[in-house]
Amino acid sequence: AEWQPGGIVDFIHHAEGAQASGSRALGDTQWLGDEHISADYLHLETELQGSDPELLARTRFVDPLVAQLLRQREGSSHLQALLRGRTTVDFLFVPVSDASADDPDRRGSHWSLLFVYLRGPTGPVAFHYDSIDHYNHNFAGELANSLGATLMPPPRMKQQRNGYDCGVFVLAATRELVRRLQQQAQPTLDLDDLVADRQALRNRLQR
């Protein structure tokens, strides 16, 4: 029988187990799957644990499967459960997919990134980074709205020049924003000079 989530904690445990058992090998032109994004986010958490545990405590890298759950209408309550016991969290990095949040047969073909700052002056705000113009704009808007965040005008984002590197851009954007957060209290948000290095990602996934 198909697994049915009993709650956000069960869903997270199921997601982590699924990603751990998935293949992390990445071909030259292969689209990234949930397992690749989840694995690199885990790498980044480990790196921050050693270099900047304070920032890690303030940051949540959301698993792609959990991100789909957060897109649902009750996303705000799911977010509260996701952050339970982590009162210091300021930043969320959420991969956005154009897959259906309700129909498992409608699988997505494009990734983008929603960067959420939970401590805005008037409440949470979200910034959407899309490497194909505004392809996922509506999905990012749904997610931001579900999380109770105001979707801000999009920062500038480097555009991909092929049909398969969107997930690489998401992970590169996440890492660049984290790097800036480590260096600046109020980092610049435009990523028009972003370098999306597939080989560097492949090397990390092979560790």
Side-chain angles (χ1 to χ4, degrees):
E2 184 177 346
W3 178 83
Q4 296 293 328
I8 185 70
V9 174
D10 290 341
F11 192 96
I12 292 171
H13 289 164
H14 174 81
E16 290 174 343
Q19 306 314 339
S21 62
S23 173
R24 296 178 181 178
L26 183 63
D28 291 341
T29 61
Q30 181 182 350
W31 289 2
L32 268 64
D34 293 2
E35 68 277 9
H36 301 113
I37 292 177
S38 177
D40 199 49
Y41 273 0
L42 287 174
H43 276 305
L44 185 52
E45 287 182 356
T46 300
E47 293 166 19
L48 282 176
Q49 185 63 56
S51 65
D52 198 338
E54 181 179 347
L55 178 59
L56 178 60
R58 300 173 61 204
T59 305
R60 189 74 163 89
F61 302 101
V62 179
D63 185 281
L65 291 176
V66 176
Q68 284 295 91
L69 185 64
L70 293 175
R71 269 180 58 192
Q72 297 176 1
R73 191 169 299 176
E74 62 274 19
S76 186
S77 60
H78 287 320
L79 176 63
Q80 293 174 12
L82 183 65
L83 300 180
R84 186 171 297 142
R86 300 187 62 172
T87 58
T88 61
V89 173
D90 295 334
F91 310 111
L92 301 177
F93 290 89
V94 190
V96 180
S97 170
D98 60 339
S100 170
D102 305 308
D103 184 352
D105 293 327
R106 290 171 54 194
R107 306 187 67 180
S109 61
H110 183 57
W111 292 108
S112 57
L113 174 68
L114 196 70
F115 172 47
V116 183
Y117 177 49
L118 296 172
R119 312 293 181 190
T122 60
V125 292
F127 303 90
H128 184 220
Y129 293 89
D130 198 328
S131 60
I132 300 183
D133 197 18
H134 304 299
Y135 191 95
N136 273 358
H137 175 76
N138 289 339
F139 302 105
E142 289 176 3
L143 180 54
N145 184 65
S146 184
L147 296 176
T150 300
L151 186 63
M152 306 299 288
R156 293 195 301 273
M157 173 65 165
K158 184 74 172 287
Q159 299 293 283
Q160 66 187 82
R161 296 185 177 182
N162 57 47
Y164 48 81
D165 266 344
C166 54
V168 181
F169 273 79
V170 165
L171 294 173
T174 299
R175 285 177 169 270
E176 176 59 21
L177 289 169
V178 167
R179 186 189 69 81
R180 295 182 186 183
L181 287 170
Q182 287 182 283
Q183 296 180 347
Q184 309 167 44
Q186 296 184 359
T188 56
L189 294 176
D190 290 328
L191 295 179
D192 45 348
D193 58 350
L194 184 71
V195 176
D197 190 336
R198 174 175 282 258
Q199 186 57 52
L201 172 59
R202 293 175 70 180
N203 293 343
R204 293 195 301 270
L205 294 176
Q206 289 172 1
R207 294 178 194 164

